[in-house]
Amino acid sequence: MSAQPDLLYSEEEEALRAAVRDLLADHCDPAGVITRTESGAPHDREAWKALADGMGLAGLLVPEERGGQGATHREAAVVLEELGRSVAPVPYLTSAVVATEALLACHADDLLAELASGRRIGALAVALGVAPGGDHRAVRAEGGALHGELTGVADATAADVLLVPADDGGLYAVEAGAVTVTAQVSLDLTRPVAKVVLDGASARRVGDAAPAVRRALRAGAGLLASEQLGLAEWSLTETVRYLKERKQFNRPVGGFQALKHRLAQLWLEIVNTRAAARNAADALATGSADVDVAVALAQSYAAPVAVHAAEEALQLHAGIGMTWEHPAHLYLKRAKADSIAYGTAGRHREALAELVDLRAP
């Protein structure tokens, strides 16, 4: 019988959290993130450089012998919790997790090392809403060139290289300059999506698409739960702080029993989300036989909790929460966008039911 996983944070993980939180406090304050979403350049290149180059976090999932830090999904999950807490507009999930995981399943160590060092940003050219094991659109491969159009590709506007699945079963690396990337209207402006048009783009085959895409999307879905956890924790913490300060009838609003009940319920949901997210990260890190179950469980639970937490934050901040100047809308938009990223909660519940042989009547 296998030992139960230790889901508590280690001292090293807590030290990593503190370092990342300090860095994000300097680079991704709420006012700065809001200002950036109003500009034509939503990605924070300075914050990314500090995370990837300064701290070496882009290579956490890459073994040392392949140019990375040799850490695990548990450490990457801690980073994503903090990125979710600050809705940081950086391509960490898409490049350092999803694109990196795809390359780990291939034979392109030179490109993998470039992503791990932070010198280049990668993006898997699969729509953000595709779940692990789901159908993704493949472009046409013809004589070493790719033809086709892909939509809803997250962080494609920031990518230096795109990993593109083709109809011949291959996964191809394509330079961003060889394709046309057009930003699409995105609810979450801190993680924009784009349309990618390939019109005879030259490409290099790096591996087989099916196992690489499945591995990448599974890791993306599993670690997205940690981002959703960080987002939900910020929403609860800031709402409690506000309700302690805001007074009505000469007493703190947080003292009203109805609001206490709502906050207590949200706290319980977040505690459960932490357990599910940590379990998914640990299963990915250890290569557990139950990793598919852990990922499906984490996403089916974390997605609605993050949305609920962000909705409560906006509503309980009352009038100020409805303004553009307050960051509550950033968290609600990220939570809503995350709720369909790498598969909806319903899609993951269906997958979970199949995995544990609990089919609908």
Side-chain angles (χ1 to χ4, degrees):
M1 183 175 180
S2 60
Q4 293 297 314
D6 180 5
L7 303 185
L8 298 178
Y9 299 99
S10 67
E11 291 184 8
E12 292 79 8
E13 289 166 349
E14 291 292 2
L16 174 61
R17 178 195 306 285
V20 174
R21 187 175 297 188
D22 286 346
L23 185 150
L24 293 174
D26 293 334
H27 288 275
C28 295
D29 62 287
V33 175
I34 292 172
T35 300
R36 186 165 292 282
T37 62
E38 297 176 318
S39 71
H43 292 100
D44 192 331
R45 297 284 182 168
E46 290 187 9
W48 173 251
K49 181 176 176 60
L51 287 165
D53 187 22
M55 296 185 67
L57 300 183
L60 282 181
L61 298 180
V62 180
E64 292 183 21
E65 62 272 17
R66 299 180 74 177
Q69 301 298 319
T72 73
H73 299 80
R74 288 175 62 110
E75 287 78 18
V78 170
V79 174
L80 281 163
E81 284 182 35
E82 295 307 311
L83 294 176
R85 196 186 300 273
S86 62
V87 286
V90 295
Y92 188 85
L93 180 65
T94 49
S95 182
V97 175
V98 176
T100 294
E101 285 279 351
L103 286 174
L104 283 169
C106 300
H107 306 286
D109 283 3
D110 56 336
L111 184 54
L112 183 63
E114 289 178 344
L115 262 61
S117 68
R119 293 193 303 271
R120 308 187 78 195
I121 295 172
L124 181 66
V126 172
L128 183 60
V130 176
D135 294 330
H136 60 272
R137 185 172 180 181
V139 301
R140 189 173 82 257
E142 193 174 276
L146 301 181
H147 304 263
E149 179 180 301
L150 302 164
T151 58
V153 180
D155 290 333
T157 54
D160 301 301
V161 61
L162 296 165
L163 303 177
V164 185
D167 60 359
D168 65 352
L171 183 69
Y172 289 83
V174 182
E175 295 296 320
V179 303
T180 302
V181 179
T182 306
Q184 295 180 287
V185 176
S186 176
L187 174 64
D188 176 16
L189 297 177
T190 62
R191 180 175 287 145
V193 296
K195 178 173 72 174
V196 177
V197 177
L198 302 100
D199 187 11
S202 60
R204 164 193 168 196
R205 180 166 178 150
V206 294
D208 295 332
V213 170
R214 176 170 177 77
R215 174 174 176 167
L217 296 182
R218 184 175 66 182
L223 294 185
L224 178 64
S226 292
E227 177 181 290
Q228 291 163 321
L229 169 62
L231 186 158
E233 287 184 326
W234 180 92
S235 299
L236 177 61
T237 300
E238 288 302 304
T239 302
V240 169
R241 183 186 62 77
Y242 175 78
L243 293 181
K244 286 181 177 179
E245 296 174 353
R246 180 77 168 88
K247 290 187 177 181
Q248 199 170 56
F249 306 116
N250 205 32
R251 61 179 290 190
V253 174
F256 293 110
Q257 189 175 41
L259 298 188
K260 286 183 177 181
H261 287 171
R262 289 171 66 171
L263 294 173
Q265 176 61 35
L266 183 56
W267 180 82
L268 287 172
E269 292 176 7
I270 291 173
V271 168
N272 290 334
T273 299
R274 183 181 300 111
R278 291 294 291 168
N279 184 52
D282 185 80
L284 287 164
T286 59
S288 168
D290 293 328
V291 63
D292 289 329
V293 172
V295 168
L297 176 63
Q299 263 311 300
S300 63
Y301 192 85
V305 170
V307 172
H308 180 214
E311 288 175 342
E312 290 288 72
L314 189 143
Q315 292 176 14
L316 295 179
H317 275 83
I320 189 64
M322 299 289 180
T323 65
W324 189 258
E325 290 76 15
H326 195 277
H329 65 94
L330 294 177
Y331 290 84
L332 180 56
K333 291 170 183 174
R334 172 66 71 87
K336 293 292 285 185
D338 280 358
S339 70
I340 61 172
Y342 308 120
T344 63
R347 172 69 175 78
H348 284 284
R349 281 194 291 269
E350 290 177 2
L352 182 62
E354 291 289 332
L355 288 167
V356 299
D357 197 25
L358 187 63
R359 295 176 179 82

